[in-house]
Amino acid sequence: VNFWTQHALQFGATLDMLLFMHVLGLRSKAMQQAAAAAHQERDRMRSLAYNDPLTGLPNRRGLHLALAHALTQCTTQRPLAVYLLDLDGFKPVNDRYGHDVGDELLVAVTRRLQDHLRQADLVARLGGDEFVVAAKLHSGQQAQDLGLKLLEAFRQPFTIGKETQVTVGLTIGYAVAPQDGTDGMELLRLADAAMYTGKQSGKFCLRRCTSPA
């Protein structure tokens, strides 16, 4: 009989408890990592569902959600201008330089639009070379001024890579809520009709449509 044999049971129980706590800690850590991975995968899938993978902008679905929220807050004193922007001359660039340069140009267009807008303004990509901008303003005149500002921003060429310079224009149609409508789909339809009118009248212009096409 000695110290170790007298306390063997206590030592064994303590060792079992330490091993149990260690295993429990490892399992807890594994569960936390699995939960974090699941959240990341959920966020990734949500991003794919609501964002354009090329530019990172909201896609059509993300745009409709954002517009619906913005329209609940707009008033006559704080109108919401919705612009539909279509690039002039994008297809020739795509045909001449290839789709890789075309994709880089769309990313560059995204950056230029964001550089000329406020952080609170919404920029979305509908697909192809069509973009949408939604901005909360103080008056209908501000809507006209912002549209002209965006047009002016596209007078400068885009530099793609180290040497390739391309020039594309912009045709913009827009509508203003609540004066022209209070439904996101209707405002987009009006803006699209105005943009089409601009394309027919020579491109690189700003048009507003307030009546059903």
Side-chain angles (χ1 to χ4, degrees), residues 33-86:
Q33 291 174 340
H39 285 305
Q40 290 176 350
E41 181 64 14
R42 182 197 62 190
D43 293 342
R44 188 181 73 85
M45 296 301 293
R46 181 179 177 84
S47 178
L48 289 175
Y50 293 97
N51 294 88
D52 171 47
L54 176 64
T55 62
L57 297 175
N59 58 16
R60 189 179 296 270
R61 182 182 294 182
L63 169 65
H64 289 323
L65 285 177
L67 268 184
H69 176 70
L71 285 169
T72 63
Q73 301 177 337
C74 81
T75 64
T76 304
Q77 291 73 33
R78 291 299 307 273
L80 180 74
V82 178
Y83 306 83
L84 196 147
L85 301 76
D86 189 88

Side-chain angles (χ1 to χ4, degrees), residues 50-197:
Y50 293 97
N51 294 88
D52 171 47
L54 176 64
T55 62
L57 297 175
N59 58 16
R60 189 179 296 270
R61 182 182 294 182
L63 169 65
H64 289 323
L65 285 177
L67 268 184
H69 176 70
L71 285 169
T72 63
Q73 301 177 337
C74 81
T75 64
T76 304
Q77 291 73 33
R78 291 299 307 273
L80 180 74
V82 178
Y83 306 83
L84 196 147
L85 301 76
D86 189 88
L87 300 182
D88 301 330
F90 176 74
K91 188 177 184 301
V93 172
N94 227 13
D95 293 342
R96 179 179 179 182
Y97 297 103
H99 292 289
D100 288 344
V101 170
D103 287 348
E104 290 185 51
L105 175 58
L106 292 173
V107 174
V109 166
T110 297
R111 287 197 298 265
R112 185 167 295 185
L113 289 174
Q114 291 172 331
D115 287 344
H116 287 79
L117 293 166
R118 300 165 301 179
Q119 189 173 2
D121 296 333
L122 170 70
V123 187
R125 182 187 176 208
L126 289 184
D129 59 346
E130 283 191 339
F131 294 81
V132 169
V133 169
K136 295 178 184 178
L137 305 171
H138 293 286
S139 67
Q141 181 58 45
Q142 271 196 316
Q144 174 82 3
D145 294 343
L146 178 57
L148 293 174
K149 177 183 176 182
L150 294 176
L151 277 183
E152 190 65 25
F154 278 70
R155 295 191 183 278
Q156 299 300 320
F158 291 85
T159 301
I160 307 300
K162 294 183 178 180
E163 299 179 353
T164 305
Q165 280 203 339
V166 297
T167 300
V168 291
L170 199 62
T171 300
I172 307 175
Y174 75 100
V176 180
Q179 292 92 330
D180 302 335
T182 56
D183 177 75
M185 293 292 292
E186 176 66 10
L187 292 167
L188 287 172
R189 192 184 69 79
L190 290 173
D192 183 67
M195 185 273 295
Y196 181 78
T197 301

Side-chain angles (χ1 to χ4, degrees), residues 20 22 33 64 210:
F20 174 75
H22 178 66
Q33 291 174 340
H64 289 323
T210 58

